[in-house]
Amino acid sequence: MHIRFDVPADPTYPGRVAAALSGDRLRRYGYVGAVLTAVGAIGFAVSRGTSWGELISPFWVTMAVGGLLAMLYWPWLQLRARRRSSGYAVDGSYDITDEQILMRSGTESGSIAWDGVAQVKGTPDFWIVYVGGMPATVIPRWLMSAEDAETLRAFMTERGLLQAR
């Protein structure tokens, strides 16, 4: 297998990459925030019907507000990542073989051996490549031909890196 494709100098591309990498790890804040908000709202409603409700109401309100802030943490970080990285757009390319993923961006280049990849997670736009427990790079699917994307998906599935559909 040998797949090669170019990455144009699109100002939105670095932000999309940063958002995908941060979003995959930070999604749990949304879930925790939803639980905290729900528990805080229920607790507040229940405490209003008790004689000691005035004493404990601030606790439930604080829990609900904290939950809302936790739910907003992920979108806020994604927005910051997109804004901060928008000036890093340069032409680049990917060369993907049976042995490695080679990424070139401007004058820089780096590679990841498939033997070092622990798993690959799919998002609508990217495959996020993990080395150990950390996301190491992304492979942008929309820049690949449909045939190359299917070849790479089959390769990663065969190696046990990507779960089958």
Side-chain angles (χ1 to χ4, degrees), residues 20-52:
L21 289 172
S22 67
D24 186 59
R25 298 203 52 147
L26 298 172
R27 192 160 303 158
R28 67 178 162 262
Y29 284 99
Y31 301 135
V32 169
V35 169
L36 288 174
T37 301
V39 170
I42 292 168
F44 180 75
V46 169
S47 72
R48 300 303 289 166
T50 64
S51 61
W52 47 270

Side-chain angles (χ1 to χ4, degrees), residues 42-128:
I42 292 168
F44 180 75
V46 169
S47 72
R48 300 303 289 166
T50 64
S51 61
W52 47 270
E54 293 297 321
L55 296 174
I56 193 105
S57 292
F59 171 75
W60 297 116
V61 170
T62 302
M63 183 180 284
V65 170
L68 287 172
L69 291 175
M71 288 178 4
L72 294 174
Y73 184 61
W74 174 34
W76 177 72
L77 279 181
Q78 284 188 318
L79 178 65
R80 280 192 60 210
R82 286 177 194 250
R83 290 171 73 199
R84 287 179 36 208
S85 61
S86 63
Y88 301 135
V90 294
D91 289 326
S93 65
Y94 282 78
D95 280 312
I96 303 171
T97 65
D98 290 336
E99 291 82 33
Q100 68 179 352
I101 305 165
L102 177 63
M103 298 123 338
R104 291 186 189 91
S105 179
T107 59
E108 303 292 321
S109 66
S111 66
I112 297 172
W114 284 112
D115 290 339
V117 175
Q119 67 174 325
V120 178
K121 291 184 179 178
T123 70
D125 292 334
F126 299 100
W127 279 305
I128 302 172

Side-chain angles (χ1 to χ4, degrees), residues 146-163:
E147 181 180 295
D148 285 347
E150 183 57 30
T151 300
L152 183 56
R153 187 201 62 74
F155 172 79
M156 292 185 298
T157 302
E158 182 181 304
R159 289 187 68 115
L161 300 173
L162 184 66
Q163 293 182 3

